Amino acid sequence: MLTTLIILPLAAALFLLAAPVRNARLARAVAAGTMSLETLLATVCLNGALAAGGGLAFETRRAWLPDLGIGWHLGVGRLGGLLVFLTALVGFSAALVARPTERARFHHALGLVIVGGMVGAFVAQDLFFFYVFHEFALIPTFLLIWIWGGARRREAAMKITLYLLAGSLVLLVGLLALVLASGAGTFDLPELRAHLAAHPISNDLQALIFLLLLIGFGTLVSLVPLHTWAPIGYAEAPPLAAMLHAGAGKKFGLYGLAVVAFPLLPSGAAVWKGTLAWLAAAQILYAGYIAMRQDDLRRMLAWASVSHMGFGFLALAAGTPTAMEGFALFLFAHGVAAAAGFALAGFCRDALGVCSLARMGGLAQRAPFAAAAFTMVALAGFGVPGFANFPAELMIFAGGLGPWPAPTILALWGTVIGAVYFLRAVQRGFLGPLAPALAQAADLDRGRRVAVGLLLAASLAAGFLPRGFLGRDASISTLASGLGGVRSAAPAVVMQGGPEARLVSAGRPNVQDPVSR
Amino acid sequence: MIHPSVLRLELAVVGLMLAVLLGDAFARKASRRYWGAAVAAALLALAGYAAAGAGILPNASARVFTAEGGFLVDAFALWVKVFALVATAVCVLLTSRTPGEDAPGFAEQVVLQLGVGLGMMVLGSARDLISFYVSLELMAIGLYLLVAWRKEDPLSLEAGVKYLVYGAMASAILLYGMALVYGAAGSLEFGIIRQAAATRSDSIVLLAGFALLLAGLGFKVSAVPFHWWTPDAYEGAPVPSMAALSLLSKPAGFIILARLLFDVFWPLHAMWQGPVAWAGAATLLWGGLGGLSQTNLKRLLAYSGISHSGFMLLALASPTRSGVAAMLYYLLAYLLSAGLVFTAMCGAAGPGARYDLRDLSGLGRKSPWLAGALLLGLFGLGGIPPLAGFFGKLLVIRCVVSESGWGFAAAAVGGAVGSLYYYLVVVKAALSPEENGAPPIAPVGRSLRALTAALAFGLLLVGAWPASVWGALRNAAEALCQ
């Protein structure tokens, strides 16, 4: 099942490269068809993961290189299942949105390779493949930006690739150090977790390895001050690459911190948690203020995305069950909203030829669908109730207030800043008198409408029914152990009633949360 | 007593050299079209035979001696022979594209390359100082000629002279070291020298000889601070000779280095581990940073080669079997990736090309096949999964983290990032739109296509499924570290 999930997009990519598909529309149809099938499979996969009750669903094991303790071990837990679903959904929409001007087959094939690699990373239960699949997905991103990007694409491609590959190398050193220091002689994640629970690594070494993992994963998620690749990278990338990376690819770093760094190195995490919480708050505010000053829509979205990643770090630093629940939902919420945002910004650049807010006022008159959709992205972006971001951020704040009151309060201010830059973009770009550059503008075509509509619908669905995406008894313990093995000592917070009841109980974290010390 | 049957692989290569020379004297011009392919096929068949044990070794842990104990065949030596045969086949096929099979001197060039390959095969089996030195010189003499091959080109001549002078100096240093070691141990044979190293590790003469041996080999593998010749020699040499330098000469240096460190001077491993690690880190950083400002592909590849040498030195600096296995795997990955890059270079330009980076512009449009080979090779060198280069880096970093420590791991990451940057610069050049004046490309021939496909397949296979070669590498490492 999971192997199929990985191989399907890769096989479709090979088919696209090999088959004589001359027509760009046909190439898009093949990619979108594959991705719709992938999304169906991913839904089954998410359901299986939610039904597995904290264990792994669809496990597969094969020997690969037993001498070094590396094995082909796939399995999907709750968090992984949610991210697989997110990747497939974003991949499908991105395939519908992509309109390369040349070499369409190659373009779509690269997108499919990214999806295959990301899905592989989210279902791998062996640290070797976990790493390899992610890195495998990076090179197509580079090529997509390089060949089909904006005016400064070369600079952007070099920067994003170097940063991400350098971050990955630090990560590789950290992962190898973790495996070697554990003494377990295996890269298998559940086995490592069980082994480390019984024989923890010494505290000093944990702190060092955790720092390496934090730098490695942090670079991949644009943790300030390792974020400088993100604004130019996303601003210059074609919609396919920006959507896939901001929507799904970037989540790998947060996912890795949540399933590898924090659970395997608890005392290392304790050393760096405080720094991380303050960095997260700084990131939310700093990137948010920069986003306010952007004129280019795509740069604005890129900075917004950097700023939002701070919520993920804050949740991880807090580590309370409520915060971690919010974390899982946040990954999904941010993924769909960012993908929709970049789809619309890509539409502005490619179809309208204008991406500067100063030159694109009044678009709502010519393109009401696009304007409505962007307004919804904006509302989701600063966490208006109804969209998935609201419960996610609320739970993160509620869970974070106990352990890190000051950073959490600063982060709360981030939503206000978010409202400023998103509403400013809506007002300047879409409302007011029609800009002369847009006199002939047309609205979104059908493919783009379906894509953006689907993403926003997913955000609304997750906003109203978070339980459907997180599972009935979701909490840090089941989320973390959903990647196999040991349950954390913290008792699960069992939420009852509808989403409202859940949010109310989440609003009183100190009563129920055994705040991690 | 010499038992010729133990030398059957080497004798077959000698036979092949004679056949090419005789053929050159008597064959008509029209019949030469597939000479390169025929020689390469014969070499690959021999490599297959060697990989299957060549009828010499009954099992993986056996050791067969001949020539009064001066020539040893074990799993390690056999692996070296397989490697040398494959690498020579790659060089021969490259020669059949530039300067081409009908060019004057083609046969001589092939014979010299076969000689270099033969030298490496003997070197893998060297069991005393004589066979060690003779085989190393057999390689060096062929390479002196190959580097200076384009004698009408002053750059090639300069490269040849530089390589000759540095090489002669390195040989002198090696010989001096050998003399000291001989004097201290009282024998040329590795087994007795090992005993001497075990019992008389405080002998200053022995240690000085050992240090001089390491310095001489440092030249062969272009380790810092003996690397100065590399960029100049690479820049001037024709591409097939450059391939021989980096696919045969450098691996041979590492093979004999492994034999010295892990077998002959194993009793001193506490003493050599530190210096080898430091040399590795320095080499890695020098190669990673020195390539950043290069505008010529050949010089850039020379720095890339230096940085890869650093990685392999770091692998050797971990005194374990996994260190040797990592080095052997890394060599294989380097052969496949660098081979692809050289193939693309041979296809992209004629014999006299300078290979400035801007000459590559438009390659993606003009020949997607060659651009694909170049990209794949560069990604292989850079260590992008699932290509073999990645797994090689992983193995080395694993050794470094477990044996050498954090500082060295940091150096490995720094050097690797630097070299990634300049590989991307090459990718950038190859994918950028065509500039005016970029020369057109001759159509890619069948043998070059076959070579590209075979190397690419190997790079993917060995990278995505290392178990396919791991057993052989482990046996080789175990045979070496007894």
Side-chain angles (χ1 to χ4, degrees):
Chain A
M1 167 76 190
L2 296 180
T3 313
T4 320
L5 209 58
I6 297 172
I7 290 185
L8 178 70
L10 298 182
L14 271 184
F15 170 77
L16 269 183
L17 287 180
V21 184
R22 292 266 169 263
N23 189 331
R25 289 175 67 96
L26 196 56
R28 190 165 76 227
V30 171
T34 313
M35 285 316 303
S36 61
L37 196 59
E38 177 91 355
T39 314
L40 276 181
L41 287 176
T43 316
V44 176
C45 168
L46 176 60
N47 268 327
L50 292 181
L56 290 175
F58 306 111
E59 266 193 280
T60 331
R61 276 173 199 272
R62 286 244 157 71
W64 193 73
L65 197 57
D67 266 16
L68 295 182
I70 304 174
W72 176 256
H73 183 192
L74 304 181
V76 58
R78 280 162 194 280
L79 191 52
L82 191 60
L83 289 172
V84 167
F85 179 65
L86 171 69
T87 309
L89 192 67
V90 170
F92 174 64
S93 329
L96 283 180
V97 165
R99 299 283 192 286
T101 46
E102 48 167 0
R103 284 185 277 184
R105 275 195 302 162
F106 193 31
H107 190 82
H108 283 290
L110 290 176
L112 287 166
V113 171
I114 297 181
V115 171
M118 288 323 304
V119 168
F122 291 138
V123 301
Q125 294 299 324
D126 184 283
L127 284 181
F128 175 79
F129 286 104
F130 166 78
Y131 178 88
V132 162
F133 272 120
H134 169 259
E135 183 133 334
F136 179 58
L138 281 184
I139 290 301
T141 314
F142 166 71
L143 289 174
L144 278 174
I145 300 179
W146 184 271
I147 303 178
W148 292 275
R152 289 167 66 199
R153 59 181 184 275
R154 309 244 152 93
E155 187 192 338
M158 289 294 271
K159 196 162 188 174
I160 193 170
T161 313
L162 274 177
Y163 257 94
L164 296 186
L165 286 178
S168 301
L169 270 172
V170 176
L171 176 60
L172 180 64
V173 173
L175 291 177
L176 283 170
L178 172 62
V179 169
L180 289 168
S182 75
T186 176
F187 284 74
D188 193 278
L189 196 49
E191 276 177 35
L192 266 179
R193 190 173 284 125
H195 184 92
L196 284 174
H199 320 274
I201 307 172
S202 74
N203 286 353
D204 291 350
L205 198 53
Q206 278 205 28
L208 182 62
I209 299 177
F210 187 86
L211 179 64
L212 285 175
L213 295 183
L214 185 62
I215 294 175
F217 284 125
T219 312
L220 303 179
V221 208
S222 62
L223 171 65
V224 167
L226 305 166
H227 65 288
T228 51
W229 58 268
I232 181 169
Y234 289 149
E236 299 298 323
L240 181 65
M243 289 172 72
L244 279 173
H245 199 270
K250 197 157 120 166
K251 305 296 179 292
F252 171 80
L254 288 171
Y255 171 77
L257 282 174
V259 301
V260 179
F262 276 87
L264 296 190
L265 301 164
S267 58
V271 174
W272 293 104
K273 247 195 269 197
T275 318
L276 185 62
W278 281 103
L279 272 181
Q283 165 150 15
I284 293 170
L285 296 180
Y286 164 74
Y289 276 115
I290 295 183
M292 271 197 204
R293 295 285 305 158
Q294 298 305 311
D295 174 57
D296 185 290
L297 185 56
R298 288 142 55 93
R299 275 191 166 260
M300 192 281 280
L301 285 172
W303 278 107
S305 168
V306 173
S307 165
H308 278 140
M309 287 299 111
F311 295 122
F313 290 118
L314 183 64
L316 284 171
T320 55
T322 316
M324 288 312 289
E325 235 180 307
F327 172 78
L329 191 60
F330 169 77
L331 292 187
F332 185 79
H334 176 264
V336 287
F342 280 111
L344 290 166
F347 161 77
C348 292
R349 194 200 76 168
D350 297 340
L352 310 181
V354 195
C355 210
S356 149
L357 289 173
R359 293 175 50 214
M360 59 184 274
L363 188 58
Q365 296 170 30
R366 299 288 313 174
F369 192 102
F374 189 82
T375 311
M376 285 170 76
V377 169
L379 295 179
F382 61 90
V384 165
F387 293 98
N389 302 54
F390 173 68
E393 284 168 23
L394 189 62
M395 282 190 276
I396 292 176
F397 293 141
L401 211 50
W404 305 109
T408 308
I409 289 168
L410 285 178
L412 264 168
W413 183 245
T415 56
V416 179
I417 302 177
V420 173
Y421 58 72
F422 269 121
L423 289 179
R424 175 178 161 275
V426 170
Q427 181 243 327
R428 294 209 176 168
F430 295 89
L431 305 178
L434 187 64
L438 297 175
Q440 301 304 319
D443 204 351
L444 294 182
D445 55 35
R446 203 186 308 150
R448 286 185 170 114
R449 281 186 196 204
V450 172
V452 174
L454 196 64
L455 291 170
L456 289 170
S459 181
L460 284 170
F464 279 102
L465 291 168
R467 265 194 329 197
F469 292 80
L470 294 179
R472 206 158 262 284
D473 58 343
S475 69
I476 171 65
S477 52
T478 48
L479 276 173
S481 68
L483 293 120
V486 187
R487 281 173 179 261
S488 95
V493 182
V494 181
M495 310 261 182
Q496 280 154 0
E500 297 77 17
R502 202 179 140 76
L503 292 171
V504 170
S505 69
R508 279 184 269 111
N510 292 333
V511 184
Q512 287 168 322
D513 286 10
V515 174
S516 52
R517 279 169 276 267
Chain B
M1 255 314 268
I2 290 182
H3 297 285
S5 69
V6 181
L7 299 167
R8 60 182 73 166
L9 290 166
E10 286 78 5
L11 290 177
V13 175
V14 173
L16 203 57
M17 289 166 76
L18 290 177
V20 174
L21 276 181
L22 286 176
D24 185 47
F26 295 110
R28 273 175 295 128
K29 207 163 184 187
S31 66
R32 295 187 179 186
R33 273 194 62 195
Y34 294 108
W35 271 29
V39 172
L43 288 172
L44 289 178
L46 270 181
Y49 182 51
I56 303 174
L57 279 196
N59 58 56
S61 52
R63 289 154 78 88
V64 178
F65 289 93
T66 186
E68 317 296 344
F71 190 93
L72 159 75
V73 179
D74 57 5
F76 180 75
L78 265 188
W79 173 257
V80 175
K81 292 178 208 296
V82 175
F83 184 95
L85 287 164
V86 173
T88 315
V90 172
C91 295
V92 168
L93 278 176
L94 293 181
T95 314
S96 67
R97 165 83 183 191
T98 42
E101 275 148 331
D102 45 1
F106 170 73
E108 285 89 338
Q109 226 174 327
V110 168
V111 168
L112 285 174
Q113 278 165 346
L114 288 172
V116 175
L118 179 65
M120 181 171 174
M121 290 168 72
V122 178
L123 191 69
S125 287
R127 193 60 195 158
D128 65 16
L129 292 173
I130 300 288
S131 46
F132 165 24
Y133 187 74
V134 167
S135 51
L136 209 59
E137 284 304 289
L138 178 58
M139 300 188 75
I141 287 170
L143 284 168
Y144 294 146
L145 293 171
L146 284 171
V147 169
W149 196 256
R150 291 175 41 74
K151 53 181 185 290
E152 68 282 4
D153 180 354
L155 210 57
S156 179
L157 279 183
E158 185 200 326
V161 169
K162 222 165 209 166
Y163 185 59
L164 178 69
V165 171
Y166 270 94
M169 195 178 75
S171 294
I173 293 176
L174 264 179
L175 267 184
Y176 198 0
M178 284 179 186
L180 291 182
V181 169
Y182 178 41
S187 170
L188 296 165
E189 216 184 303
F190 282 178
I192 298 175
I193 298 175
R194 179 171 179 158
Q195 283 168 12
T199 51
R200 309 218 319 272
S201 61
D202 53 346
S203 153
I204 200 80
V205 178
L206 184 75
L207 291 181
F210 179 41
L212 288 175
L213 285 181
L214 290 187
L217 288 176
F219 165 83
K220 296 285 172 200
V221 302
S222 39
V224 169
F226 311 107
H227 63 285
W228 298 104
W229 60 276
T230 318
D232 292 332
Y234 274 44
E235 189 184 9
V239 178
S241 312
M242 186 177 149
L245 274 180
S246 57
L247 304 184
L248 285 166
S249 173
K250 183 207 301 255
F254 276 105
I255 293 304
I256 192 66
L257 201 55
R259 176 74 83 190
L260 289 182
L261 295 179
F262 284 78
D263 184 357
V264 186
F265 290 99
W266 177 249
L268 304 177
H269 70 263
M271 219 174 278
W272 56 250
Q273 188 191 356
V276 172
W278 278 104
T283 309
L284 186 58
L285 284 174
W286 195 282
L289 302 178
L292 292 178
S293 58
Q294 300 305 319
T295 55
N296 179 287
L297 180 57
K298 284 166 133 186
R299 290 189 79 86
L300 190 147
L301 285 175
Y303 282 100
S304 145
I306 295 176
S307 122
H308 287 291
S309 291
F311 263 105
M312 288 185 269
L313 283 173
L314 277 180
L316 287 181
S318 83
T320 55
R321 276 173 200 173
S322 30
V324 178
M327 189 276 284
L328 291 176
Y329 185 94
Y330 204 99
L331 269 183
L332 182 63
Y334 182 65
L335 166 68
L336 295 167
S337 343
L340 264 178
V341 174
F342 295 142
T343 312
M345 287 170 71
C346 272
R354 284 267 173 267
Y355 292 100
D356 283 331
L357 282 179
R358 60 168 185 277
D359 296 345
L360 289 176
S361 65
L363 187 65
R365 289 252 176 239
K366 283 188 281 188
S367 173
W369 183 268
L370 291 176
L374 184 66
L375 255 63
L376 206 59
L378 289 169
F379 288 148
L381 289 176
I384 304 294
L387 304 176
F390 166 71
F391 197 68
K393 283 220 164 70
L394 179 120
L395 289 174
V396 174
I397 294 181
R398 181 171 172 271
C399 289
V400 172
V401 170
S402 73
E403 302 289 339
S404 302
W406 297 110
F408 294 99
V413 170
V417 171
S419 49
L420 268 172
Y421 176 81
Y422 56 71
Y423 297 139
L424 287 179
V425 168
V426 182
V427 173
K428 182 172 162 177
L431 290 182
S432 62
E434 190 171 347
E435 284 175 21
N436 289 335
I441 293 179
V444 184
R446 214 173 290 159
S447 61
L448 214 57
R449 270 175 201 257
L451 178 61
T452 317
L455 287 172
F457 177 74
L459 194 60
L460 267 172
L461 175 77
V462 174
W465 191 43
S468 55
V469 292
W470 188 254
L473 296 180
R474 200 187 43 202
N475 288 340
E478 275 170 11
L480 183 69
C481 311
Q482 290 202 338

